[in-house]
Structures are given as structure tokens and as C-alpha cells.
Amino acid sequence: MSIDRLVQSWSEVRTGLINEASQIPEGQFSFRATPETRSVAELLQHIVQTQKLLVGEACRENTDLMRQSFADQIQEYAPDVAGITEKNGLLELLRSSWNPQRLQFVTVAKACSRK
């Protein structure tokens, strides 16, 4: 799969996620299916945090997902995401975090493919 196709698929999935999340009533963003599971808001936070972590780490010259704990990497790459808990803030975060991450990933991936 080419980098462009990968990013296009990633973008389509992200758009679908935003569309689906937009349909969830704000009062349901704190809903948990069971006490042990994440709420809707926490799932969306997790998606953004993980994207920032994976893109940030993949774009490092010395990529190493094992260099620190997941919690420490989230603190490094997405420290303020957990503070956004309301629907509109999370939807905006999903929208606004995509383009910078996409551009960073494409730039590094294409540079690596030329080596």
C-alpha cells in the first residue's frame, strides 16, 4: 500500500469516526457500558492520544516505542488531551489534530521511502 493510499484510508476512517461521534448526544459522552470500560469521551481521547503518540514516535529519528511507558509517551505527545471532555471540544480535537499529524507523517514517510 502506498503512503498516499494509507493516508487516504486513515483520513476516511477519521472522517467516519467524527461523523459517528457527532451523532452521539452530549449527555452520552460520559456513558460506560460497564464500570471497567472507557466512556465515549475517554475512547475519543484515547484515539487522539494514540494517534499523536504513534505519529510522533514514528517520525522520530530514533523511533523506539519501548523507550518509556505508554503513560509517559502520552504525557510527551498529548499532554492536554485528557483535559478535553465535552463533546464539542473532543470533536474539534479530532478535526484539528488530523492535518498536522497527517502532514508530519507523510513528510517523514516519503523521506524514508527515498533512502
Side-chain angles (χ1 to χ4, degrees):
M1 177 180 281
S2 72
I3 294 167
D4 291 332
R5 180 68 186 126
L6 173 67
V7 171
Q8 179 184 354
S9 294
W10 190 358
S11 183
E12 290 167 2
V13 169
R14 175 51 69 87
T15 299
L17 172 65
I18 292 168
N19 290 340
E20 291 295 323
S22 297
Q23 295 177 45
I24 300 170
E26 182 155 7
Q28 293 296 309
F29 268 59
S30 60
F31 172 76
R32 293 175 190 276
T34 68
E36 300 82 28
T37 60
R38 290 183 170 118
S39 68
V40 173
E42 290 167 337
L43 284 170
L44 296 175
Q45 290 168 337
H46 179 70
I47 289 167
V48 172
Q49 289 169 331
T50 303
Q51 172 192 295
K52 288 176 174 264
L53 181 159
L54 291 174
V55 170
E57 197 61 30
C59 294
R60 285 174 57 98
E61 190 168 311
N62 58 342
T63 298
D64 181 2
L65 287 170
M66 303 307 289
R67 68 187 173 85
Q68 59 186 353
S69 70
F70 182 79
D72 288 341
Q73 290 197 30
I74 293 300
Q75 193 58 34
E76 178 179 343
Y77 291 109
D80 48 347
V81 171
I84 301 170
T85 58
E86 82 289 343
K87 177 180 180 174
N88 289 335
L90 288 166
L91 292 174
E92 181 54 33
L93 183 61
L94 285 165
R95 288 183 195 103
S96 67
S97 66
W98 172 238
N99 276 335
Q101 295 280 289
R102 178 185 59 80
L103 292 172
Q104 181 184 15
F105 178 77
V106 168
T107 300
V108 171
K110 287 187 176 185
C112 288
S113 70
R114 287 187 216 118
K115 289 182 180 181

